Amino acid sequence: GNADLYQDSTSNSYHADDELNSTGKSGIVGRGQEIDAQNDANEYLLLPSDIVTGESELYFSYWINSTESSDQALLNGGPNNEYLIFLTGGGDSLALYDDSDTDTYSLSPDDLSNGAWRHLVVTRDSGSNEWRVFIDGQEVGSPASEVMSPLVTPANCLVIGLEQDGPCLSSGDTTQHLNATIDEIRFKNTIPSDAYVAATYENQASTTNFYTP
């Protein structure tokens, strides 16, 4: 692999390691990255666990383009589903795991595996004990409530590509790994306004207009 290949644009230096053989680089904001871990269980991006560990508020987003009809892990932050964003139902349902607790969002009639670029935002707030999901700048459903604590993610265990089961970086069920192209990964340790989420989508989806929250 290539250490620190994917560079953090902030001063935090939370760079990601490249463990990929896929060569596709199509993107919507800049150059994206193909990840086909269902056909190669050694494919993943490894991010520093410090990005999420100890955070009571967490915003995660990226652009995704997929035609995969089976379930797939979009982000995995622990070997025991400590922080797992999991796409099911061929792309029309999203399961959010917080240890043993699971909340499921129906995206139907929408579909994240429809072969188009889609912007996904998932927020986790242990202060208000709720998840929220946004697709293309708009909230999906209502906030899901459950008792939460600040995240604790083991080292070398925050990955994009694998559905980890057991030890960190284990291949788990390869049929549940990611098969998609992604672009513009973002994390924040504060949860922005709904207007910010909408403006981010609009500004990244189009280079001809500029929106402000």
Side-chain angles (χ1 to χ4, degrees):
N2 298 298
D4 297 343
L5 181 66
Y6 300 94
Q7 295 284 297
D8 184 357
S9 63
T10 75
S11 60
N12 293 317
S13 297
Y14 287 145
H15 310 313
D17 295 348
D18 170 270
E19 300 290 345
L20 298 167
N21 294 311
S22 294
T23 58
K25 297 290 184 182
S26 63
I28 186 168
V29 178
R31 297 182 74 200
Q33 177 60 58
E34 177 189 13
I35 302 176
D36 187 6
Q38 291 199 7
N39 289 309
D40 183 348
N42 295 314
E43 286 218 347
Y44 57 87
L45 299 182
L46 178 62
L47 300 99
S49 297
D50 288 347
I51 294 175
V52 300
T53 293
E55 301 297 349
S56 57
E57 292 187 17
L58 191 63
Y59 163 106
F60 164 74
S61 71
Y62 65 20
W63 286 87
I64 180 171
N65 189 324
S66 179
T67 58
E68 179 58 51
S69 60
S70 64
D71 299 346
Q72 44 183 341
L74 304 186
L75 176 71
N76 196 320
N80 298 303
N81 297 338
E82 289 90 342
Y83 177 49
L84 172 62
I85 300 173
F86 194 61
L87 190 63
T88 64
D92 64 7
S93 184
L94 197 65
L96 307 176
Y97 288 79
D98 187 79
D99 287 318
S100 59
D101 296 319
T102 309
D103 291 290
T104 302
Y105 282 79
S106 173
L107 309 180
S108 180
D110 210 342
D111 182 353
L112 278 187
S113 294
N114 64 356
W117 281 106
R118 311 302 302 277
H119 189 246
L120 170 68
V121 172
V122 177
T123 67
R124 180 189 185 276
D125 188 344
S126 63
S128 58
N129 291 314
E130 70 179 20
W131 295 96
R132 297 180 72 192
V133 174
F134 298 79
I135 304 294
D136 294 344
Q138 301 299 312
E139 185 168 14
V140 176
S142 301
S145 298
E146 64 179 58
V147 177
M148 297 177 174
S149 300
L151 281 169
V152 178
T153 299
N156 298 319
C157 219
L158 181 62
V159 297
I160 296 176
L162 302 181
E163 198 292 286
Q164 302 172 110
D165 287 316
C168 295
L169 303 183
S170 62
S171 64
D173 184 348
T174 57
T175 65
Q176 297 179 347
H177 292 348
L178 184 63
N179 180 17
T181 301
I182 62 172
D183 194 8
E184 195 66 18
I185 304 164
R186 291 189 178 186
F187 289 90
K188 294 180 180 292
N189 62 1
T190 58
I191 296 175
S193 67
D194 293 8
Y196 173 93
V197 174
T200 298
Y201 163 72
E202 295 289 350
N203 287 328
Q204 293 180 357
S206 171
T207 58
T208 59
N209 297 299
F210 185 76
Y211 296 80
T212 57

